[in-house]
């Protein structure tokens, strides 16, 4: 029933009405209309008084409710209204947060090995993020990688596949957020090692260790920028040694350490540290398969050292030989299944005109079946045959020339080996050697 229902009267209104009716008498000689008018006027006065009292009561009630609510907050705390609905489950609460412990914990143990925290403090600023920019990708980086500072004046080692597509430029971000443009000093796709440089000085640079001293099961930390997340640290152990792995973009199988520390896209070129704070390997690749997890690889410092030194001195790996051909490998099975007469060997699809072999009878579509009397049907066999040779040495190769009709022609050629200043790389035509 509403307070504003005209049929509802407060007790004081009823008494007032009764009192007024008891003292009222119609004036002598008044007409019925006059009497009716007087009664209506009396009712209007009573109604006006009733509305004023109702309004006053509502205001007083509102003030009382607000006052009670404030008092309830003071007594019960905030959340009391929710408690009425939810059955008393909500309370005013402040989660206690203690000060982070500030204790003097040694950064090294009794054997001189860093704790993980101590290692990160000592060496994290020797690892950088590398951002790659290429045509058609706007102003955003097309990819990211990692690198290791190897000198105080800004030389940085990374993977060749990190910088191989940098058609517009390379940007290096230091651990403190400083940004520099970089130039490529030398890059070798075959071993997947590259050296770049930034115009900086006074940098903290990494210390490298003889990777032959690494033990199976040894604790290691990998630092890099996987997914573009700079200064990422993962920890694990050396899961395997003497793993000879060729990265996806490389042809040369490099000596690697196998790790269970997380290695992800963007980690490439980052550092793997032993717990003495020394670089023992360069993160390079991982076994990418849904059937495997935690199998990453890093090129050992001993394998990378001569490549880095040669790239810094020459811009390429000096002393490496080049034949000057691009070829497909034809196995014995492939030769047997061919619809034309062909022999196992290196099927020539291009010849480098700057190489001495271009001065021989060799031509495109010929097949080199052997070099120095040893069969060659793939890149690995070719490199094995020539591993003891140097640029300038002369070798003899046996060649088979297929024929459209009749039997093919066979002959020998002799040529000088050239110095390779670009490495063994794969292209759409086959293998370069």
């Amino acid at each position: 029933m509403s307070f504003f229902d005209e049929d509802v009267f407060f007790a004081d209104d009823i008494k007032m009405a009764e009192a007024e009716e008891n003292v009222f008498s119609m004036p002598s000689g008044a007409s019925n209309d006059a009497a009716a008018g007087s009664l209506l006027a009396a009712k209007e006065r009573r109604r006006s008084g009733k509305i004023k009292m109702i309004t006053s009561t509502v205001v007083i009630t509102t003030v009382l409710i607000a006052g009670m609510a404030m008092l309830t907050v003071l007594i019960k705390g905030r959340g009391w209204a929710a408690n009425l609905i939810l059955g008393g489950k909500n309370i005013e609460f402040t989660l206690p947060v203690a000060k982070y412990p500030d204790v003097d914990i040694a950064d090294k143990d009794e054997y001189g090995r860093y704790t993980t925290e101590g290692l990160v403090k000592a060496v994290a600023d020797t690892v950088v993020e590398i951002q790659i920019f290429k045509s058609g990708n706007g102003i955003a980086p097309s990819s990211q990688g990692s690198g290791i500072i190897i000198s105080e004046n800004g030389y940085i080692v990374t993977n060749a596949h990190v910088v191989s597509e940098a058609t517009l430029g390379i940007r290096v971000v230091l651990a403190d957020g400083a940004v520099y443009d970089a130039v490529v000093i030398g890059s070798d796709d075959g071993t997947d090692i590259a050296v770049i440089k930034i115009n900086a000085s006074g940098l903290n640079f990494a210390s490298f260790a003889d990777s032959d001293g690494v033990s199976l099961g040894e604790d290691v930390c990998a630092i890099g920028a996987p997914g573009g997340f700079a200064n990422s640290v993962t920890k694990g152990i050396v899961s395997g040694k003497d793993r000879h792995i060729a990265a996806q973009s490389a042809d040369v199988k490099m000596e690697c350490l196998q790790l269970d520390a997380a290695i992800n896209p963007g980690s490439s070129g980052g550092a793997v540290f032993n717990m003495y704070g020394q670089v023992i390997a360069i993160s390079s690749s991982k076994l990418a398969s849904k059937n495997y997890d935690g199998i990453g690889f890093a090129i050992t410092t001993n394998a990378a050292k001569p490549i880095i030194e040669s790239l810094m001195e020459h811009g390429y790996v000096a002393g490496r030989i080049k034949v000057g051909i691009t070829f497909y490998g034809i196995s014995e099975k492939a030769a047997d299944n061919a619809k034309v007469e062909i022999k196992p060997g290196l099927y020539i699809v291009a010849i480098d005109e700057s190489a001495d072999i271009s001065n021989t009878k060799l031509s495109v579509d010929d097949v080199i079946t052997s070099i120095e009397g040893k069969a060659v049907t793939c890149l690995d066999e070719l490199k094995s045959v020539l591993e003891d040779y140097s640029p300038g040495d002369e070798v003899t190769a046996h060649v088979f020339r297929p024929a459209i009709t009749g039997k093919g022609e066979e002959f020998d050629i002799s040529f000088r080996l050239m110095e390779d200043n670009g490495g063994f790389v794969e292209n759409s035509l086959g293998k370069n050697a």
Side-chain angles (χ1 to χ4, degrees):
M1 183 176 293
S2 170
F3 285 123
F4 298 100
D5 193 328
E6 290 188 357
D7 294 331
V8 177
F9 293 89
F10 288 100
D12 290 343
D13 289 334
I14 295 172
K15 291 178 181 179
M16 185 181 296
E18 290 176 348
E20 290 177 351
E21 288 175 354
N22 289 334
V23 299
F24 177 77
S25 60
M26 183 177 296
S28 176
S31 67
N32 289 334
D33 289 340
S38 298
L39 288 174
L40 287 173
K43 287 184 179 181
E44 287 297 328
R45 289 194 298 272
R46 288 196 299 271
R47 182 178 299 173
S48 175
K50 177 181 67 175
I51 292 174
K52 289 180 180 178
M53 292 189 67
I54 291 173
T55 302
S56 300
T57 304
V58 170
V59 172
I60 293 170
T61 303
T62 302
V63 173
L64 287 174
I65 291 173
M68 291 175 64
M70 293 175 62
L71 183 61
T72 305
V73 169
L74 292 174
I75 297 173
K76 295 186 176 182
R78 292 188 297 272
W80 65 273
N83 287 337
L84 294 176
I85 300 172
L86 300 177
K89 295 180 181 179
N90 294 83
I91 62 171
E92 180 182 7
F93 181 73
T94 301
L95 182 69
V97 178
K99 182 180 178 182
Y100 203 85
D102 184 15
V103 294
D104 186 17
I105 300 176
D107 288 337
K108 295 184 179 181
D109 63 16
E110 64 271 28
Y111 302 106
R113 293 175 299 203
Y114 280 106
T115 62
T116 304
E117 298 94 329
L119 177 73
V120 172
K121 286 190 292 185
V123 303
D125 61 352
T126 66
V127 182
V128 302
E129 177 189 359
I130 299 175
Q131 299 176 347
I132 302 303
F133 297 84
K134 68 177 183 178
S135 302
N137 213 67
I139 61 174
S142 61
S143 61
Q144 291 88 17
S146 306
I148 309 166
I149 302 174
I150 60 176
S151 72
E152 64 88 23
N153 60 338
Y155 283 92
I156 297 167
V157 64
T158 184
N159 287 139
H161 76 260
V162 171
V163 299
S164 62
E165 296 185 350
T167 56
L168 287 184
I170 302 171
R171 182 174 294 164
V172 169
V173 183
L174 303 185
D176 63 2
V179 179
Y180 292 86
D181 291 330
V183 295
V184 176
I185 300 301
S187 182
D188 183 56
D189 292 331
T191 58
D192 199 24
I193 298 291
V195 175
I196 63 176
K197 189 181 186 305
I198 60 175
N199 187 20
S201 61
L203 300 176
N204 188 21
F205 57 94
S207 171
F208 287 72
D210 181 353
S211 54
D212 286 345
V214 173
S215 300
L216 195 64
E218 181 177 345
D219 286 341
V220 293
C221 278
I223 302 180
F229 294 106
N231 307 317
S232 292
V233 181
T234 58
K235 188 175 182 182
I237 62 170
V238 176
S239 303
K241 296 178 59 179
D242 302 320
R243 308 297 197 216
H244 288 82
I245 305 295
Q248 188 173 8
S249 62
D251 288 319
V252 179
K253 290 184 177 180
M254 297 289 282
E255 180 188 13
C256 293
L257 298 179
Q258 178 186 330
L259 314 169
D260 71 346
I263 303 293
N264 290 291
S267 297
S268 295
V272 177
F273 292 96
N274 62 19
M275 299 312 289
Y276 297 98
Q278 300 168 310
V279 177
I280 57 174
I282 301 169
S283 301
S284 60
S285 58
K286 65 179 292 186
L287 188 60
S289 170
K290 64 180 181 180
N291 297 320
Y292 300 94
D293 190 26
I295 302 180
F297 300 100
I299 301 170
T300 64
T301 54
N302 286 7
K305 182 177 184 292
I307 309 298
I308 295 170
E309 293 170 344
S310 186
L311 291 175
M312 292 185 67
E313 183 176 352
H314 304 287
Y316 60 92
V317 180
R320 182 184 288 158
I321 59 173
K322 179 175 71 172
V323 177
I325 56 174
T326 303
F327 62 86
Y328 284 124
I330 299 177
S331 66
E332 290 188 12
K333 183 177 181 180
D336 291 340
N337 293 333
K339 295 181 180 180
V340 297
E341 183 188 14
I342 196 86
K343 291 191 175 183
L346 310 179
Y347 180 82
I348 308 302
V349 294
I351 300 173
D352 184 352
E353 293 183 359
S354 67
D356 188 55
I357 197 171
S358 66
N359 300 319
T360 68
K361 286 178 56 178
L362 185 73
S363 65
V364 172
D365 295 329
D366 286 347
V367 180
I368 295 178
T369 60
S370 66
I371 295 179
E372 292 297 307
K374 298 178 180 179
V376 288
T377 61
C378 64
L379 182 62
D380 285 344
E381 290 179 356
L382 175 62
K383 289 190 293 184
S384 178
V385 168
L386 299 178
E387 64 182 352
D388 294 327
Y389 289 83
S390 300
D393 289 346
E394 187 174 283
V395 296
T396 298
H398 189 70
V399 180
F400 171 75
R401 178 169 291 170
I404 301 300
T405 60
K407 295 187 67 66
E409 177 187 359
E410 295 190 48
F411 55 90
D412 289 337
I413 60 171
S414 294
F415 57 92
R416 287 181 296 105
L417 297 171
M418 311 299 290
E419 184 170 49
D420 176 26
N421 58 7
F424 295 104
V425 296
E426 182 177 2
N427 61 26
S428 61
L429 296 175
K431 300 284 185 176
N432 290 338

